[in-house]
Amino acid sequence: MTTLERAAVCTLDCPDTCSLSITVDAGRIVKVRGSKALPYTDGVICNKVTHHTAGFVHGSGRLLHPLRRAGPRGSGRFERVSWDEALDTVRRRVAAVIDRWGPQAVLPLSYAGPHGLLSCESMSARFFHKLGATQLYRGALCGAVRTQAWVGTYGGVPGIGPEAAADARLNIVWGNNATVANLHIVRAVHAARRKGGRLAVIDPLRTKIAEQADLHLAPLPGTDVLLGFALATELERLGAHDRRFIAEHVRGYDEFMERARAWPVEKAAEACGIAASDIRLLAAWMAEADPLVMAPGNGLERGRNGGSGIRAAIALPALLGKLGARSGIVLGAGFAFPKTPARLQRPDLLPPGTRTLNILDVGRHLERDALDPPIRAVIVYNHNPIVVHPDQNRVKRGLGREDIFLVGIEVAMTESMQHCDIVLPAATHFECDDLYAAYGHHWLQRAEAAIPPAGEALPNTEIFRRLAARFGFADPCFKADDRELMDEAIDPAHPRLRGAKPSAISTREALRMAAPDGRPLALFDNVMPATPSGRVELSSDVLAERWGQAARLPGYRPRARRHPLSLISPASDKRVSSTLLGAGGSPADAPVLRMHPDDAWARGLSNGQRVRAWNDLGAVILPLAVTDAVSRGVVASEKGAWLASSPTGQTISALVSADARADLAEGACYNDTEVEVGAA
């Protein structure tokens, strides 16, 4: 057989969206490397994709054929059926639900899954809109808090590209486990340090990038907003606020600073659990640094004060007037792409008055029939809700009901798929065509299938085309092929496309979203705020209207403690959520629980011991790692482990409340969970 090299794109949930080179032999992936198609990632990829992709695509857990449940829910007992049998069953059972309860008794349960514009939400959205199914507000699970904080402050525009970090005199990496989940900005940061630049990391956990930093501040979970306020007041004391920039470009300065001054350095330092001298040192570095680049991460949003923490952080470069071609904030990258979601997803097909549910409430709505109509059919795709959702045990109970018809569309037999009545095999991102607009940089990429789909697997777009046909949907939009969908996903007439047709973008060369003169997009250089005032809005009427008057300004909500330890859940260097773990995990795959030596001593616990982390929602058995990488009062364990890794059949998602919400966008509070820990 001839060995072939194919271009591909990594679609897993990471801001870097790397370009890949795939070595294929006899239709199987035998090697994965980075490629030069995307200059930003420049041939470098993470170890997990390098080493685990072949198992992900060809491993024993891969779903190859449609299946029908042949045992109790969750038992994993299935029998193989044909595509026709499977689709006919879906049509018959969903139609019966609609006949009795109406179309809103049907729920699409999906999240990000593959990040391709087609695989994520294109034909699937059209199908559920036409069906009249209940709609799902997905952003609360992750991303919406960050997006709302950014849009409320700067509007729907891109910040600076991550490449700018390579020339910064000071890089601030805030709530961003970058070595694991944002690899290429780490390379840029190291390039800056070789030129004499500094690195400050703000994170409750001493991550690998924090170990390499010139300064690491470890605020207690939920207190980032206070650190932001303290830095604002200290920068004011230093005379570093750019009064001319503020007068011309900032709205709400006086209101913001009135609130910030309530948290001077000493007071904030005590509440944050960090040294006041470190806050002063960081402020001094920020005042003198030019250029200055800030790279906030996903971790910052996942707490009760998540929106306020982000807003206080991203206000600081505006106070300093350090926004432009070389200084700025690496956020809002998704706004660089001229997406046309209405053309792609066709919300005009949706019947008026159709309800929308928060994805965090799905477990409750499945467990209890408090809705009218109740949920009676669920189609799970691009998602493993049992592992990912807060209040894991509630989700399991909801998906365990025999009177709810469950359909799953997946690559592997996950815990969620084990509960489904019908399971449909999905193609991986190496087996279909797609278009990729990153959320961490400004480069648009296209990929073609590198290998044929394994077994009888099909791309998401084709699965939903077939479902639409089964339901008799004859609208022309359900006949669109994948190339047509690409051209409906991005506006080809937008100047950032420079005349390129989305479906014709080279698979060997990424297309940078740039200004008309070809220069990189940068806020306050060739992009200006898109807020109602046209200014940086530190006080936001938009956020107040959307999320209540308390959201007009960043604020601090103290915790009412029921348990003494704060659990945070950083990303893993082995998995992306529950992806890339092979066939289902085992106790050997259990992530450790990190605990400060003082907290371990107080509980009589020792390094390597198996411990039980628990609260009112559940309990998880984990090996203990005693380390000062976490602060006193904080424990940390990686997210995304499969249920089989814990003897209790629960992972740390079981400990996270689905009812606790961030201060913006009703976001989940994964990094703001109270627990106790004892011997197992």
Side-chain angles (χ1 to χ4, degrees):
M1 278 288 183
T2 303
T3 298
L4 303 173
E5 293 294 323
R6 301 289 194 192
V9 175
C10 183
T11 186
L12 300 178
D13 189 0
C14 166
D16 291 16
T17 316
C18 301
S19 62
L20 305 176
S21 179
I22 307 297
T23 304
V24 177
D25 188 1
R28 294 176 65 88
I29 294 173
V30 295
K31 190 174 184 179
V32 179
R33 293 166 293 158
S35 84
K36 302 284 188 177
L38 175 58
Y40 172 57
T41 59
D42 193 31
V44 176
I45 60 174
C46 67
N47 288 331
K48 48 193 167 187
V49 170
T50 300
H51 297 302
H52 298 298
T53 292
F56 168 65
V57 177
H58 306 295
S60 59
R62 181 72 194 274
L63 291 169
L64 300 174
H65 310 284
L67 303 172
R68 178 169 56 209
R69 182 163 62 94
R73 285 210 192 280
S75 67
R77 289 167 50 193
F78 291 90
E79 59 186 7
R80 180 177 169 180
V81 295
S82 69
W83 268 102
D84 283 341
E85 289 177 279
L87 294 176
D88 286 343
T89 301
V90 175
R91 169 70 177 89
R92 175 174 51 82
R93 294 286 301 271
V94 171
V97 167
I98 293 173
D99 287 345
R100 180 169 178 183
W101 284 285
Q104 293 189 86
V106 181
L107 176 72
L109 182 50
S110 67
Y111 184 59
H115 273 237
L117 292 176
L118 274 59
S119 296
C120 188
E121 285 294 350
S122 60
M123 195 60 69
S124 53
R126 295 180 182 190
F127 172 77
F128 288 113
H129 287 150
K130 180 70 174 180
L131 191 70
T134 288
Q135 297 296 287
L136 195 63
Y137 166 53
R138 297 170 173 84
L141 202 59
C142 180
V145 176
R146 180 177 67 251
T147 299
Q148 288 295 300
W150 176 258
V151 169
T153 307
Y154 291 98
V157 293
I160 203 165
E163 295 91 341
D167 296 314
R169 298 301 297 171
L170 175 63
N171 276 293
I172 302 176
V173 176
W174 197 328
N176 184 349
N177 189 6
T179 313
V180 170
N182 199 180
L183 175 63
H184 296 86
I185 204 164
V186 177
R187 297 174 68 228
V189 165
H190 289 332
R193 296 188 75 205
R194 287 193 293 271
K195 301 171 190 175
R198 292 180 173 129
L199 168 63
V201 172
I202 302 170
D203 198 299
L205 176 66
R206 191 169 69 239
T207 59
K208 185 172 182 179
I209 192 170
E211 291 174 352
Q212 299 165 341
D214 299 288
L215 178 65
H216 173 215
L217 283 74
L220 294 170
T223 65
D224 296 87
V225 59
L226 304 184
L227 175 56
F229 284 159
L231 287 168
T233 60
E234 179 64 9
L235 289 167
E236 182 182 39
R237 188 190 69 81
L238 294 172
H241 287 197
D242 188 329
R243 300 293 175 177
R244 178 178 296 180
F245 184 91
I246 290 167
E248 187 174 349
H249 295 297
V250 176
R251 177 182 180 271
Y253 171 80
D254 291 335
E255 296 171 87
F256 177 88
M257 287 307 302
E258 181 181 2
R259 186 157 291 193
R261 292 181 194 116
W263 291 95
V265 169
E266 288 77 8
K267 180 180 177 183
E270 183 178 1
C272 293
I274 57 181
S277 58
D278 285 345
I279 299 177
R280 292 195 181 93
L281 179 59
L282 179 55
W285 286 0
M286 293 176 70
E288 69 182 44
D290 185 19
L292 167 70
V293 173
M294 179 182 289
N298 294 357
L300 189 51
E301 74 171 30
R302 296 173 178 165
R304 64 194 185 281
N305 301 313
S308 293
I310 295 170
R311 292 171 72 188
I314 64 178
L316 299 173
L319 297 179
L320 294 167
K322 294 183 179 181
L323 294 166
R326 301 174 67 228
S327 291
I329 306 162
V330 183
L331 267 185
F335 295 109
F337 305 94
K339 301 175 190 176
T340 48
R343 291 179 60 214
L344 180 64
Q345 299 174 3
R346 296 296 304 273
D348 57 295
L349 298 171
L350 188 67
T354 302
R355 70 188 177 192
T356 298
L357 302 180
N358 187 321
I359 194 169
L360 301 181
D361 293 327
V362 164
R364 174 163 53 86
H365 293 317
L366 293 177
E367 184 186 29
R368 303 200 305 257
D369 289 341
L371 293 174
D372 184 18
I375 301 300
R376 284 295 179 268
V378 179
I379 300 180
V380 183
Y381 62 103
N382 294 345
H383 196 26
N384 187 4
I386 285 179
V387 166
V388 174
H389 277 227
D391 204 342
Q392 184 176 82
N393 290 317
R394 179 191 281 178
V395 174
K396 284 197 290 187
R397 291 191 296 269
L399 292 179
R401 289 180 53 171
E402 288 284 353
D403 57 343
I404 299 177
F405 177 58
L406 301 180
V407 179
I409 302 171
E410 247 300 359
V411 169
M413 180 55 75
T414 66
E415 298 91 338
S416 301
M417 292 300 102
Q418 290 174 4
H419 286 69
C420 292
D421 298 286
I422 295 291
V423 177
L424 304 176
T428 69
H429 51 288
F430 301 108
E431 299 164 343
C432 58
D433 301 348
D434 217 325
L435 197 62
Y436 300 94
Y439 69 88
H441 58 71
H442 301 168
W443 297 82
L444 182 65
Q445 300 177 85
R446 186 177 71 86
E448 296 175 349
I451 57 174
E456 295 183 273
L458 292 173
N460 282 3
T461 51
E462 180 59 21
I463 291 173
F464 282 99
R465 279 190 203 96
R466 295 188 183 191
L467 282 170
R470 277 300 195 284
F471 280 78
F473 298 164
D475 309 63
C477 68
F478 293 106
K479 305 294 185 184
D481 63 26
D482 288 352
R483 287 188 175 268
E484 291 174 294
L485 291 174
M486 290 182 191
D487 293 332
E488 291 170 336
I490 298 283
D491 180 7
H494 196 282
R496 289 179 192 166
L497 270 289
R498 300 193 290 282
K501 192 176 183 180
S503 62
I505 293 171
S506 172
T507 60
R508 301 283 177 178
E509 185 178 1
L511 179 64
R512 191 175 203 165
M513 301 293 100
D517 62 3
R519 290 187 302 120
L521 298 175
L523 194 58
F524 283 99
D525 178 34
N526 45 35
V527 175
M528 294 301 288
T531 57
S533 67
R535 298 183 174 202
V536 181
E537 297 196 349
L538 303 186
S539 173
S540 174
D541 294 335
V542 169
L543 295 180
E545 290 168 5
R546 290 178 183 172
W547 309 111
Q549 287 302 310
R552 185 176 301 281
L553 287 161
Y556 176 65
R557 296 186 296 175
R559 167 183 287 161
R561 282 193 172 276
R562 296 189 62 187
H563 300 284
L565 299 171
S566 296
L567 170 68
I568 60 173
S569 49
S572 169
D573 63 355
K574 301 178 181 64
R575 301 175 301 277
V576 178
S577 291
S578 60
T579 302
L580 300 181
L581 196 60
S586 70
D589 297 315
V592 300
L593 181 76
R594 295 183 176 94
M595 176 183 280
H596 191 275
D598 291 351
D599 291 326
W601 180 85
R603 291 163 175 78
L605 303 175
S606 58
N607 190 60
Q609 179 179 356
R610 288 164 66 83
V611 296
R612 177 177 176 264
W614 59 274
N615 60 20
D616 298 342
L617 299 175
V620 184
I621 306 296
L622 297 168
L624 182 67
V626 178
T627 171
D628 63 0
V630 290
S631 301
R632 295 175 186 84
V634 179
V635 289
S637 189
E638 294 172 350
K639 66 175 182 172
W642 291 48
L643 302 190
S645 67
S646 172
T648 63
Q650 302 170 42
T651 64
I652 58 172
S653 291
L655 310 180
V656 181
S657 170
D659 300 322
R661 303 292 164 87
D663 50 353
L664 286 184
E666 299 183 356
C669 293
Y670 289 101
N671 285 343
D672 207 353
T673 295
E674 297 178 7
V675 298
E676 180 55 286
V677 176

